[in-house]
Amino acid sequence: MARRVVGIGGTLRPRSSSEMLARAVLAECAALGAEAVMFDGIALSELPHFNPEAPTRNAAEQALVAAVRAADALVIASPGYHGGVSGLVKNAIDLLEDTRGDARVYFDGMPIGLIVSAAGWQAGGVTLAALRGIVHAMRGWPTPVGIAINSIEQKPFGADGTLIDAGIAAQVALQARQIMTFGVSEAA
C-alpha cells in the first residue's frame, strides 16, 4: 500500500519558494511510491480563522482535516515571517485540533518533513525550531533533516520551476527518503 503524504504550506504568492520546496519533497515522495496531495497558500486562504468553538466546518476545512486523517506523513512548509511561522500556515495547523479525539490524536507517530524559506538565516533557523516545537506538541516526529533556506542568498529554482541548486536538491531527496522510510514497519 502506498504511503499518503500531505503537504501544507506556502504563501498567497503563486510559486512561493516555501510552496515550491514542499512540492519538490512531495514529488520525491511520489517517485518513491507515495500518493501526494498539496494544500498550498491559495487553498489555505479558504480556511476561516480557526475557532474551536464553531461546531461546523466549511468544505475547505473538511478537506484538509480529512486528508490529514488519512495521511501517513506530512510536509509542512512556512515562510519565516519575523522569526515565526506564518499566520496562514499556523491557522491550518490549528484547525487540526479537530483530530484531538481521533484514534490517532493529532500527528501521533507520523513523520513530518519541515521546510522554511526566510529572508535571512536567523529567521529561517528560528522558524524551523518553532515548527519542530509545534510538531512535537502535536505528537509528531519531525524528520532529522529540516530544510531552511535563505531566500536572499539562495535561489533554488530556475525560471521554469526546476530545482537547480544541487545542495538543496540533495536535502529535498533526503527528507523525502526519511518521510518514506520512517515507521514503515509500524505502518505496514
Side-chain angles (χ1 to χ4, degrees):
M1 181 168 80
R3 293 195 98 176
R4 293 165 300 222
V5 183
V6 173
I8 300 169
T11 71
L12 294 177
R13 183 173 47 84
R15 295 174 43 114
S16 69
S17 54
S18 55
E19 176 190 333
M20 291 179 65
L21 287 164
R23 289 186 184 280
V25 171
L26 291 176
E28 287 287 330
C29 289
L32 295 170
E35 297 170 5
V37 63
M38 179 72 187
F39 289 85
D40 61 16
I42 300 302
L44 300 181
S45 72
E46 296 176 13
L47 304 174
H49 288 288
F50 173 65
N51 178 0
E53 304 304 319
T56 59
R57 300 286 181 236
N58 71 20
E61 290 171 307
Q62 291 173 18
L64 176 60
V65 172
V68 171
R69 281 183 169 135
D72 299 303
L74 300 176
V75 174
I76 301 175
S78 178
Y81 288 162
H82 307 110
V85 178
S86 76
L88 191 69
V89 172
K90 184 65 168 69
N91 187 56
I93 293 169
D94 288 346
L95 173 62
L96 300 174
E97 176 66 15
D98 284 2
T99 65
R100 73 186 169 280
D102 291 1
R104 179 185 67 201
V105 177
Y106 304 127
F107 308 149
D108 193 24
M110 292 174 70
I112 302 178
L114 301 174
I115 300 167
V116 175
S117 177
W121 290 113
Q122 182 175 354
V126 170
T127 305
L128 185 59
L131 279 173
R132 286 185 184 279
I134 291 165
V135 167
H136 283 145
M138 295 182 78
R139 305 180 188 184
W141 294 86
T143 57
V145 169
I147 300 169
I149 70 160
N150 179 340
S151 61
I152 301 298
E153 296 180 13
Q154 297 174 291
K155 303 297 179 203
F157 297 96
D160 65 352
T162 303
L163 187 55
I164 57 172
D165 183 297
I168 294 172
Q171 290 178 340
V172 164
L174 180 54
Q175 187 176 85
R177 282 194 307 275
Q178 290 176 350
I179 288 167
M180 293 299 290
T181 58
F182 177 85
V184 168
S185 63
E186 294 92 339

